[in-house]
Coordinates of all heavy atoms in Angstrom, one line a residue:
M22 N -154.5 -21.9 1.7 CA -155.0 -22.4 2.9 C -155.0 -21.2 3.9 O -154.0 -20.5 4.0 CB -154.2 -23.5 3.5 CG -154.7 -24.1 4.8 SD -153.7 -25.5 5.4 CE -153.6 -26.6 4.0
N23 N -156.1 -21.0 4.6 CA -156.2 -19.9 5.6 C -155.9 -20.5 7.0 O -155.9 -21.7 7.2 CB -157.5 -19.1 5.5 CG -158.7 -20.0 6.0 OD1 -158.7 -20.6 7.0 ND2 -159.7 -20.1 5.1
P24 N -155.6 -19.6 8.0 CA -155.2 -20.1 9.3 C -156.3 -20.9 10.0 O -156.0 -21.9 10.7 CB -155.0 -18.8 10.1 CG -154.5 -17.8 9.1 CD -155.4 -18.1 7.9
I25 N -157.6 -20.7 9.7 CA -158.7 -21.5 10.3 C -158.6 -22.9 9.8 O -158.7 -23.9 10.5 CB -160.0 -20.8 10.1 CG1 -160.1 -19.4 10.7 CG2 -161.1 -21.7 10.6 CD1 -159.8 -19.4 12.2
D26 N -158.5 -23.0 8.4 CA -158.4 -24.3 7.8 C -157.2 -25.1 8.3 O -157.2 -26.3 8.6 CB -158.4 -24.2 6.3 CG -159.7 -23.7 5.7 OD1 -160.7 -23.9 6.3 OD2 -159.6 -23.2 4.5
F27 N -156.1 -24.3 8.4 CA -154.8 -24.9 8.8 C -155.0 -25.5 10.2 O -154.7 -26.7 10.5 CB -153.7 -23.9 8.8 CG -152.4 -24.4 9.4 CD1 -151.6 -25.2 8.7 CD2 -152.0 -24.0 10.7 CE1 -150.4 -25.7 9.3 CE2 -150.8 -24.4 11.2 CZ -150.0 -25.2 10.5
I28 N -155.4 -24.7 11.2 CA -155.5 -25.2 12.6 C -156.5 -26.3 12.7 O -156.3 -27.2 13.5 CB -155.7 -24.1 13.6 CG1 -155.2 -24.5 15.0 CG2 -157.1 -23.6 13.6 CD1 -153.7 -24.9 15.1
E29 N -157.6 -26.3 12.0 CA -158.6 -27.4 12.0 C -157.9 -28.7 11.6 O -158.1 -29.7 12.3 CB -159.7 -27.1 11.1 CG -160.8 -28.2 11.1 CD -161.9 -27.9 10.1 OE1 -161.7 -27.4 9.0 OE2 -163.1 -28.1 10.6
R30 N -157.1 -28.7 10.6 CA -156.4 -29.9 10.2 C -155.4 -30.3 11.2 O -155.2 -31.5 11.5 CB -155.7 -29.6 8.8 CG -156.7 -29.4 7.7 CD -156.1 -28.8 6.5 NE -157.1 -28.3 5.6 CZ -157.0 -28.3 4.3 NH1 -155.9 -28.8 3.7 NH2 -157.9 -27.8 3.5
V31 N -154.7 -29.4 11.8 CA -153.7 -29.7 12.9 C -154.4 -30.3 14.1 O -153.9 -31.3 14.7 CB -152.9 -28.4 13.2 CG1 -152.0 -28.7 14.5 CG2 -152.0 -28.0 12.1
L32 N -155.5 -29.8 14.5 CA -156.3 -30.3 15.6 C -156.7 -31.7 15.4 O -156.7 -32.6 16.3 CB -157.4 -29.4 16.0 CG -157.1 -28.0 16.5 CD1 -158.3 -27.1 16.6 CD2 -156.4 -28.1 17.8
I33 N -157.1 -32.0 14.2 CA -157.5 -33.4 13.8 C -156.3 -34.3 14.0 O -156.4 -35.4 14.6 CB -158.2 -33.5 12.4 CG1 -159.5 -32.8 12.4 CG2 -158.3 -34.9 12.0 CD1 -160.1 -32.5 11.0
L34 N -155.2 -33.9 13.4 CA -154.0 -34.7 13.5 C -153.6 -34.9 15.0 O -153.2 -36.0 15.4 CB -152.8 -34.1 12.8 CG -152.8 -34.2 11.3 CD1 -151.6 -33.3 10.7 CD2 -152.6 -35.7 10.9
C35 N -153.6 -33.9 15.8 CA -153.2 -34.0 17.2 C -154.1 -34.9 18.0 O -153.7 -35.6 18.8 CB -153.1 -32.6 17.8 SG -151.7 -31.6 17.3
S36 N -155.4 -34.8 17.7 CA -156.4 -35.6 18.4 C -156.1 -37.1 18.0 O -156.1 -37.9 18.9 CB -157.8 -35.2 18.0 OG -158.7 -36.0 18.6
K37 N -155.9 -37.4 16.8 CA -155.7 -38.8 16.4 C -154.4 -39.3 16.8 O -154.3 -40.5 17.2 CB -155.8 -38.9 14.8 CG -155.6 -40.3 14.3 CD -155.8 -40.4 12.8 CE -155.6 -41.8 12.4 NZ -155.7 -41.9 10.9
H38 N -153.3 -38.5 16.8 CA -152.0 -39.0 17.1 C -151.4 -38.6 18.5 O -150.2 -38.7 18.7 CB -151.0 -38.6 16.0 CG -151.4 -39.2 14.7 ND1 -151.0 -40.5 14.3 CD2 -152.1 -38.8 13.6 CE1 -151.4 -40.8 13.1 NE2 -152.1 -39.7 12.7
R39 N -152.3 -38.1 19.3 CA -151.9 -37.7 20.7 C -150.7 -36.7 20.7 O -149.6 -37.0 21.2 CB -151.6 -39.0 21.5 CG -152.7 -39.9 21.6 CD -152.5 -41.1 22.5 NE -152.2 -40.8 23.8 CZ -153.1 -40.5 24.8 NH1 -154.4 -40.6 24.6 NH2 -152.7 -40.2 26.0
G40 N -151.0 -35.6 20.0 CA -150.0 -34.6 19.9 C -150.4 -33.3 20.6 O -151.6 -33.0 20.8
S41 N -149.4 -32.5 21.0 CA -149.6 -31.2 21.7 C -149.0 -30.1 20.8 O -147.8 -30.3 20.4 CB -149.0 -31.2 23.1 OG -149.5 -32.2 23.9
I42 N -149.7 -29.0 20.6 CA -149.1 -27.9 19.9 C -148.3 -27.1 20.9 O -148.8 -26.7 21.9 CB -150.3 -27.0 19.3 CG1 -151.1 -27.8 18.3 CG2 -149.7 -25.8 18.6 CD1 -152.4 -27.2 17.9
T43 N -147.0 -26.9 20.6 CA -146.1 -26.2 21.5 C -145.8 -24.8 21.0 O -145.2 -24.0 21.7 CB -144.8 -27.0 21.7 OG1 -144.2 -27.2 20.4 CG2 -145.1 -28.3 22.3
S44 N -146.0 -24.5 19.7 CA -145.8 -23.2 19.1 C -146.6 -23.0 17.9 O -146.8 -23.9 17.1 CB -144.3 -23.1 18.8 OG -144.0 -21.8 18.2
W45 N -147.2 -21.8 17.8 CA -148.1 -21.6 16.7 C -147.8 -20.2 16.1 O -146.7 -20.0 15.6 CB -149.6 -21.7 17.0 CG -150.5 -21.6 15.9 CD1 -150.3 -21.8 14.6 CD2 -151.9 -21.1 16.0 NE1 -151.4 -21.5 13.8 CE2 -152.4 -21.1 14.7 CE3 -152.7 -20.8 17.0 CZ2 -153.7 -20.8 14.4 CZ3 -154.0 -20.4 16.7 CH2 -154.5 -20.4 15.4
G46 N -148.6 -19.2 16.3 CA -148.3 -17.9 15.8 C -147.2 -17.2 16.6 O -147.1 -17.4 17.8
R47 N -146.4 -16.4 15.8 CA -145.3 -15.7 16.4 C -145.2 -14.3 15.8 O -145.5 -14.1 14.7 CB -144.0 -16.4 16.1 CG -143.8 -17.7 16.7 CD -142.5 -18.3 16.2 NE -142.3 -19.7 16.6 CZ -141.4 -20.5 16.1 NH1 -140.6 -20.1 15.1 NH2 -141.3 -21.7 16.5
T48 N -144.8 -13.3 16.7 CA -144.4 -12.0 16.2 C -143.1 -12.2 15.5 O -142.3 -13.1 15.8 CB -144.4 -11.0 17.3 OG1 -143.3 -11.4 18.2 CG2 -145.7 -10.9 18.0
P49 N -142.7 -11.2 14.7 CA -141.3 -11.3 14.1 C -140.2 -11.3 15.2 O -139.3 -12.0 15.1 CB -141.2 -10.0 13.3 CG -142.6 -9.8 12.8 CD -143.5 -10.2 14.0
K50 N -140.4 -10.5 16.3 CA -139.4 -10.5 17.4 C -139.3 -11.9 18.1 O -138.3 -12.4 18.3 CB -139.8 -9.4 18.4 CG -138.7 -9.4 19.5 CD -139.1 -8.4 20.6 CE -138.1 -8.4 21.8 NZ -137.4 -9.6 22.2
H51 N -140.5 -12.5 18.4 CA -140.5 -13.8 19.1 C -139.9 -14.8 18.1 O -139.1 -15.7 18.6 CB -141.9 -14.2 19.5 CG -142.0 -15.5 20.1 ND1 -141.4 -15.8 21.4 CD2 -142.5 -16.7 19.7 CE1 -141.6 -17.0 21.7 NE2 -142.2 -17.6 20.7
N52 N -140.2 -14.7 16.8 CA -139.7 -15.7 15.9 C -138.1 -15.6 15.9 O -137.4 -16.6 15.9 CB -140.2 -15.4 14.5 CG -139.9 -16.5 13.5 OD1 -140.2 -17.7 13.7 ND2 -139.1 -16.1 12.5
E53 N -137.6 -14.4 15.8 CA -136.2 -14.2 15.9 C -135.6 -14.7 17.2 O -134.6 -15.4 17.2 CB -135.9 -12.7 15.7 CG -134.4 -12.4 15.6 CD -134.1 -10.9 15.4 OE1 -134.9 -10.2 14.9 OE2 -132.9 -10.6 15.7
D54 N -136.3 -14.4 18.3 CA -135.7 -14.8 19.6 C -135.6 -16.3 19.7 O -134.7 -16.8 20.4 CB -136.6 -14.3 20.7 CG -136.6 -12.8 20.9 OD1 -135.7 -12.1 20.4 OD2 -137.4 -12.3 21.7
V55 N -136.5 -17.1 19.1 CA -136.5 -18.5 19.2 C -135.7 -19.2 18.1 O -135.6 -20.4 17.9 CB -137.9 -19.2 19.3 CG1 -138.6 -18.7 20.5 CG2 -138.7 -18.9 18.0
G56 N -135.1 -18.4 17.2 CA -134.3 -18.9 16.1 C -135.0 -19.3 14.9 O -134.5 -20.1 14.1
G57 N -136.2 -18.8 14.7 CA -137.0 -19.2 13.5 C -136.5 -18.6 12.3 O -135.7 -17.6 12.3
V58 N -136.8 -19.2 11.2 CA -136.3 -18.7 9.9 C -137.0 -17.3 9.6 O -138.1 -17.1 10.0 CB -136.5 -19.7 8.7 CG1 -135.8 -21.0 9.0 CG2 -138.0 -20.0 8.5
P59 N -136.4 -16.5 8.8 CA -136.9 -15.1 8.6 C -138.3 -15.1 8.0 O -139.1 -14.2 8.3 CB -135.9 -14.5 7.6 CG -134.6 -15.2 7.9 CD -135.0 -16.6 8.3
K60 N -138.7 -16.0 7.1 CA -140.0 -16.0 6.5 C -140.8 -17.1 7.0 O -141.6 -17.8 6.3 CB -139.9 -16.0 5.0 CG -139.3 -14.8 4.4 CD -139.3 -14.8 2.9 CE -138.7 -13.5 2.3 NZ -138.8 -13.4 0.9
S61 N -140.8 -17.3 8.3 CA -141.4 -18.5 8.9 C -143.0 -18.4 8.8 O -143.6 -17.4 8.9 CB -141.1 -18.5 10.4 OG -141.9 -19.4 11.1
Y62 N -143.5 -19.6 8.5 CA -145.0 -19.7 8.4 C -145.6 -19.4 9.8 O -146.8 -19.0 9.8 CB -145.4 -21.1 8.0 CG -145.3 -21.4 6.5 CD1 -144.2 -21.8 5.9 CD2 -146.5 -21.1 5.7 CE1 -144.1 -22.0 4.5 CE2 -146.4 -21.4 4.3 CZ -145.3 -21.8 3.7 OH -145.2 -22.0 2.4
H63 N -144.9 -19.5 10.9 CA -145.4 -19.2 12.2 C -145.9 -17.7 12.2 O -146.9 -17.4 12.9 CB -144.4 -19.3 13.3 CG -144.0 -20.8 13.6 ND1 -144.7 -21.5 14.5 CD2 -143.0 -21.6 13.2 CE1 -144.2 -22.7 14.7 NE2 -143.2 -22.8 13.8
M64 N -145.3 -16.8 11.5 CA -145.6 -15.4 11.6 C -146.9 -15.1 10.8 O -147.4 -14.0 11.0 CB -144.4 -14.6 11.0 CG -143.2 -14.7 11.9 SD -141.9 -13.5 11.5 CE -141.5 -14.0 9.9
V65 N -147.4 -16.0 10.1 CA -148.7 -15.8 9.4 C -149.7 -16.8 9.9 O -150.7 -17.1 9.2 CB -148.6 -15.7 7.9 CG1 -147.9 -14.5 7.4 CG2 -148.0 -17.0 7.3
Y66 N -149.4 -17.5 11.0 CA -150.3 -18.5 11.6 C -150.6 -19.7 10.7 O -151.6 -20.3 10.8 CB -151.6 -17.8 12.1 CG -151.4 -16.9 13.3 CD1 -151.0 -15.6 13.1 CD2 -151.6 -17.4 14.6 CE1 -150.7 -14.8 14.2 CE2 -151.3 -16.6 15.7 CZ -150.9 -15.3 15.5 OH -150.6 -14.5 16.5
L67 N -149.6 -20.0 9.9 CA -149.7 -21.2 9.0 C -148.6 -22.2 9.3 O -148.2 -23.0 8.5 CB -149.7 -20.8 7.5 CG -151.0 -20.1 7.1 CD1 -150.8 -19.6 5.6 CD2 -152.2 -20.9 7.2
G68 N -148.0 -22.0 10.5 CA -146.9 -23.0 10.9 C -147.1 -23.3 12.4 O -147.6 -22.4 13.1
C69 N -146.9 -24.5 12.8 CA -147.0 -24.8 14.2 C -146.0 -26.0 14.5 O -145.6 -26.7 13.6 CB -148.4 -25.2 14.6 SG -149.0 -26.7 14.1
D70 N -145.7 -26.1 15.7 CA -144.8 -27.2 16.2 C -145.7 -28.1 17.1 O -146.4 -27.7 17.9 CB -143.6 -26.7 17.0 CG -142.7 -25.8 16.1 OD1 -142.7 -26.0 14.9 OD2 -142.0 -24.9 16.6
V71 N -145.5 -29.4 16.8 CA -146.3 -30.4 17.5 C -145.3 -31.5 18.1 O -144.4 -32.0 17.5 CB -147.2 -31.2 16.5 CG1 -147.9 -32.3 17.2 CG2 -148.3 -30.2 16.0
V72 N -145.6 -31.8 19.4 CA -144.9 -32.9 20.1 C -145.9 -34.0 20.3 O -147.0 -33.8 20.8 CB -144.3 -32.4 21.5 CG1 -143.7 -33.5 22.2 CG2 -143.3 -31.3 21.3
L73 N -145.5 -35.2 19.9 CA -146.3 -36.4 20.1 C -146.0 -37.0 21.4 O -144.9 -36.8 21.9 CB -146.1 -37.4 18.9 CG -146.3 -36.9 17.5 CD1 -145.9 -37.9 16.5 CD2 -147.7 -36.4 17.3
D74 N -147.0 -37.7 22.0 CA -146.7 -38.3 23.3 C -145.5 -39.2 23.2 O -144.7 -39.3 24.2 CB -148.0 -39.1 23.8 CG -149.0 -38.1 24.4 OD1 -148.8 -36.9 24.5 OD2 -150.1 -38.6 24.8
V75 N -145.4 -40.0 22.1 CA -144.2 -40.8 21.8 C -143.5 -40.1 20.7 O -143.9 -40.3 19.5 CB -144.6 -42.2 21.5 CG1 -143.4 -43.0 21.2 CG2 -145.4 -42.9 22.6
M76 N -142.5 -39.3 21.0 CA -141.9 -38.4 20.0 C -140.8 -39.1 19.3 O -139.6 -39.0 19.7 CB -141.4 -37.1 20.7 CG -141.1 -36.0 19.7 SD -142.4 -35.6 18.6 CE -141.6 -36.0 17.0
T77 N -141.2 -39.9 18.3 CA -140.2 -40.5 17.4 C -140.8 -40.3 16.0 O -141.9 -39.8 15.8 CB -140.1 -42.0 17.6 OG1 -141.4 -42.6 17.5 CG2 -139.6 -42.3 19.0
K78 N -140.0 -40.6 14.9 CA -140.5 -40.5 13.6 C -141.7 -41.4 13.5 O -141.8 -42.5 13.9 CB -139.4 -41.0 12.6 CG -139.9 -41.0 11.1 CD -138.8 -41.3 10.2 CE -139.2 -41.4 8.7 NZ -139.9 -40.2 8.2
N79 N -142.8 -40.8 12.9 CA -144.1 -41.5 12.9 C -144.7 -41.4 11.5 O -145.2 -40.4 11.1 CB -145.0 -40.8 13.9 CG -146.3 -41.5 14.1 OD1 -146.9 -41.9 13.1 ND2 -146.8 -41.6 15.3
T80 N -144.5 -42.5 10.8 CA -144.9 -42.5 9.4 C -146.4 -42.4 9.3 O -146.9 -41.7 8.3 CB -144.5 -43.9 8.7 OG1 -143.0 -44.0 8.9 CG2 -144.8 -43.9 7.3
L81 N -147.2 -42.9 10.2 CA -148.7 -42.7 10.1 C -149.1 -41.3 10.3 O -149.9 -40.8 9.6 CB -149.4 -43.6 11.2 CG -149.2 -45.1 11.0 CD1 -149.8 -45.8 12.2 CD2 -149.9 -45.6 9.7
F82 N -148.4 -40.6 11.2 CA -148.7 -39.1 11.4 C -148.3 -38.4 10.1 O -149.0 -37.5 9.7 CB -147.8 -38.6 12.6 CG -147.9 -37.1 12.8 CD1 -149.0 -36.6 13.6 CD2 -146.9 -36.3 12.3 CE1 -149.0 -35.2 13.8 CE2 -147.0 -34.9 12.5 CZ -148.1 -34.4 13.3
E83 N -147.1 -38.7 9.6 CA -146.7 -38.0 8.3 C -147.6 -38.3 7.2 O -148.0 -37.3 6.4 CB -145.3 -38.5 8.0 CG -144.2 -38.0 9.0 CD -142.8 -38.5 8.7 OE1 -142.6 -39.2 7.6 OE2 -142.0 -38.3 9.6
N84 N -148.1 -39.5 7.0 CA -149.1 -39.8 6.0 C -150.4 -39.1 6.1 O -150.9 -38.5 5.2 CB -149.3 -41.3 5.9 CG -148.1 -42.1 5.4 OD1 -147.2 -41.6 4.7 ND2 -148.1 -43.4 5.6
D85 N -150.9 -39.0 7.4 CA -152.1 -38.3 7.6 C -151.9 -36.8 7.4 O -152.8 -36.1 6.9 CB -152.6 -38.5 9.1 CG -153.2 -39.9 9.3 OD1 -153.6 -40.5 8.2 OD2 -153.4 -40.3 10.4
A86 N -150.7 -36.3 7.7 CA -150.5 -34.8 7.5 C -150.5 -34.6 6.0 O -151.2 -33.6 5.5 CB -149.1 -34.5 8.0
H87 N -149.9 -35.4 5.2 CA -149.9 -35.2 3.7 C -151.4 -35.3 3.2 O -151.7 -34.6 2.3 CB -149.1 -36.3 3.0 CG -147.6 -36.0 3.2 ND1 -147.0 -34.9 2.8 CD2 -146.6 -36.8 3.8 CE1 -145.7 -34.9 3.1 NE2 -145.4 -36.1 3.7
Y88 N -152.2 -36.2 3.8 CA -153.6 -36.3 3.4 C -154.3 -35.0 3.5 O -155.1 -34.6 2.7 CB -154.3 -37.4 4.2 CG -155.8 -37.5 4.0 CD1 -156.3 -38.2 2.8 CD2 -156.7 -36.9 4.8 CE1 -157.7 -38.2 2.6 CE2 -158.0 -36.9 4.6 CZ -158.5 -37.6 3.5 OH -159.9 -37.6 3.3
F89 N -154.0 -34.3 4.6 CA -154.6 -33.0 4.9 C -153.8 -31.8 4.2 O -154.0 -30.6 4.5 CB -154.7 -32.7 6.4 CG -155.8 -33.5 7.0 CD1 -155.4 -34.5 7.9 CD2 -157.1 -33.2 6.8 CE1 -156.5 -35.2 8.6 CE2 -158.1 -33.9 7.4 CZ -157.8 -34.9 8.3
K90 N -152.9 -32.2 3.3 CA -152.1 -31.1 2.5 C -151.2 -30.3 3.4 O -151.0 -29.1 3.2 CB -153.0 -30.2 1.7 CG -154.0 -30.9 0.8 CD -153.3 -31.7 -0.3 CE -154.2 -32.3 -1.3 NZ -153.8 -33.5 -1.8
L91 N -150.7 -31.0 4.5 CA -149.8 -30.4 5.4 C -148.4 -31.0 5.2 O -148.3 -32.2 5.0 CB -150.2 -30.6 6.8 CG -151.5 -30.0 7.2 CD1 -151.9 -30.3 8.6 CD2 -151.5 -28.5 7.0
K92 N -147.4 -30.2 5.3 CA -146.0 -30.7 5.2 C -145.4 -31.0 6.6 O -145.2 -30.0 7.3 CB -145.1 -29.7 4.4 CG -143.7 -30.2 4.2 CD -142.9 -29.1 3.4 CE -141.5 -29.5 3.3 NZ -140.8 -28.5 2.5
P93 N -145.2 -32.2 7.0 CA -144.6 -32.5 8.3 C -143.0 -32.5 8.2 O -142.5 -33.1 7.3 CB -145.1 -33.9 8.6 CG -145.2 -34.6 7.3 CD -145.6 -33.5 6.3
I94 N -142.4 -31.7 9.0 CA -140.9 -31.7 9.0 C -140.5 -32.1 10.4 O -140.8 -31.4 11.4 CB -140.4 -30.3 8.7 CG1 -140.9 -29.8 7.3 CG2 -138.9 -30.2 8.8 CD1 -140.7 -28.3 7.1
L95 N -139.8 -33.3 10.5 CA -139.3 -33.7 11.8 C -138.1 -32.9 12.2 O -137.1 -33.0 11.5 CB -139.0 -35.2 11.8 CG -138.5 -35.9 13.0 CD1 -139.5 -35.7 14.2 CD2 -138.2 -37.4 12.8
E96 N -138.2 -32.2 13.3 CA -137.0 -31.3 13.7 C -136.5 -31.8 15.0 O -136.4 -31.0 16.0 CB -137.5 -29.9 13.8 CG -137.9 -29.3 12.4 CD -138.3 -27.8 12.5 OE1 -138.8 -27.3 13.5 OE2 -138.1 -27.2 11.4
G97 N -136.2 -33.1 15.1 CA -135.6 -33.7 16.3 C -136.6 -34.0 17.4 O -137.2 -35.0 17.4
D98 N -136.9 -33.0 18.2 CA -137.8 -33.2 19.4 C -139.2 -32.8 19.1 O -140.1 -32.8 20.0 CB -137.3 -32.5 20.6 CG -137.3 -30.9 20.4 OD1 -137.4 -30.5 19.3 OD2 -137.1 -30.2 21.4
H99 N -139.6 -32.4 17.8 CA -140.9 -32.1 17.5 C -141.1 -32.2 16.0 O -140.1 -32.2 15.2 CB -141.3 -30.7 18.0 CG -140.5 -29.6 17.3 ND1 -139.3 -29.2 17.6 CD2 -140.9 -28.8 16.2 CE1 -138.9 -28.2 16.8 NE2 -139.8 -28.0 16.0
Y100 N -142.4 -32.1 15.6 CA -142.7 -31.9 14.1 C -143.1 -30.5 13.9 O -143.9 -29.9 14.7 CB -143.9 -32.8 13.7 CG -143.5 -34.2 13.3 CD1 -143.7 -35.3 14.2 CD2 -143.1 -34.5 12.0 CE1 -143.4 -36.6 13.8 CE2 -142.7 -35.7 11.6 CZ -142.9 -36.8 12.5 OH -142.6 -38.1 12.1
H101 N -142.6 -29.9 12.9 CA -143.1 -28.6 12.4 C -144.1 -29.0 11.3 O -143.8 -29.8 10.4 CB -142.0 -27.8 11.8 CG -142.4 -26.6 11.1 ND1 -142.8 -25.4 11.8 CD2 -142.6 -26.3 9.8 CE1 -143.2 -24.5 10.9 NE2 -143.1 -25.0 9.7
L102 N -145.2 -28.3 11.3 CA -146.2 -28.5 10.2 C -146.5 -27.1 9.5 O -146.5 -26.1 10.2 CB -147.6 -28.9 10.8 CG -147.6 -30.3 11.4 CD1 -148.9 -30.6 12.2 CD2 -147.4 -31.4 10.4
Q103 N -146.7 -27.2 8.2 CA -147.0 -26.0 7.4 C -147.7 -26.5 6.2 O -147.7 -27.7 5.9 CB -145.8 -25.2 7.0 CG -144.8 -26.0 6.1 CD -143.5 -25.3 5.9 OE1 -142.9 -24.7 6.9 NE2 -143.0 -25.2 4.7
P104 N -148.4 -25.7 5.5 CA -149.1 -26.1 4.3 C -148.1 -26.7 3.2 O -147.0 -26.2 3.1 CB -149.8 -24.8 3.7 CG -149.9 -23.9 4.9 CD -148.7 -24.2 5.8
E105 N -148.6 -27.7 2.5 CA -147.8 -28.2 1.4 C -147.9 -27.1 0.3 O -148.9 -26.5 0.1 CB -148.3 -29.5 0.9 CG -148.1 -30.7 1.8 CD -148.5 -32.0 1.2 OE1 -149.3 -32.0 0.3 OE2 -148.1 -33.0 1.7
V106 N -146.8 -26.9 -0.4 CA -146.7 -26.0 -1.5 C -146.9 -26.8 -2.8 O -146.0 -27.7 -3.0 CB -145.4 -25.1 -1.5 CG1 -145.4 -24.2 -2.7 CG2 -145.3 -24.4 -0.2
P107 N -147.9 -26.5 -3.6 CA -148.0 -27.3 -4.9 C -146.8 -27.2 -5.7 O -146.1 -26.2 -5.8 CB -149.2 -26.7 -5.6 CG -149.9 -25.9 -4.5 CD -148.9 -25.5 -3.5
S108 N -146.4 -28.4 -6.3 CA -145.2 -28.3 -7.2 C -145.5 -28.1 -8.6 O -146.6 -28.1 -9.0 CB -144.4 -29.6 -7.0 OG -145.2 -30.7 -7.1

């Protein structure tokens, strides 16, 4: 998945589920400053953080993310999204 395909899918999810993107691409320094993992998808524009207007676990959001081949990770106050890795 390339960054254009990724963000298109994220924008569809955010539009449907009333979400705001709070973090997307990062430089290695910014990623380190915010406590990101060393090989973060954010650094290649294939990771983003989304806050929903009602920020609770949202099974419909998660199911839609999987439909678009995105992996939703609930990280407390936001969802992190990145491409699903084929198993």
Side-chain angles (χ1 to χ4, degrees):
M22 181 180 308
N23 66 55
I25 300 299
D26 292 336
F27 173 76
I28 201 60
E29 179 180 43
R30 296 167 193 211
V31 170
L32 291 173
I33 292 168
L34 281 174
C35 285
S36 177
K37 180 176 180 181
H38 293 280
R39 302 184 58 86
S41 300
I42 299 168
T43 60
S44 181
W45 183 26
R47 298 178 185 162
T48 65
K50 180 185 181 322
H51 179 68
N52 189 62
E53 183 178 342
D54 290 349
V55 299
V58 298
K60 293 187 179 183
S61 172
Y62 278 89
H63 287 274
M64 293 190 297
V65 292
Y66 290 83
L67 292 174
C69 73
D70 297 333
V71 172
V72 174
L73 303 176
D74 281 356
V75 178
M76 194 56 243
T77 58
K78 180 172 174 57
N79 186 318
T80 304
L81 294 175
F82 176 84
E83 292 176 7
N84 289 342
D85 284 346
H87 288 300
Y88 173 81
F89 285 112
K90 306 294 186 216
L91 300 174
K92 180 178 180 180
I94 303 167
L95 182 59
E96 295 184 333
D98 63 348
H99 69 276
Y100 272 101
H101 170 80
L102 295 171
Q103 65 190 42
E105 288 184 341
V106 178
S108 47

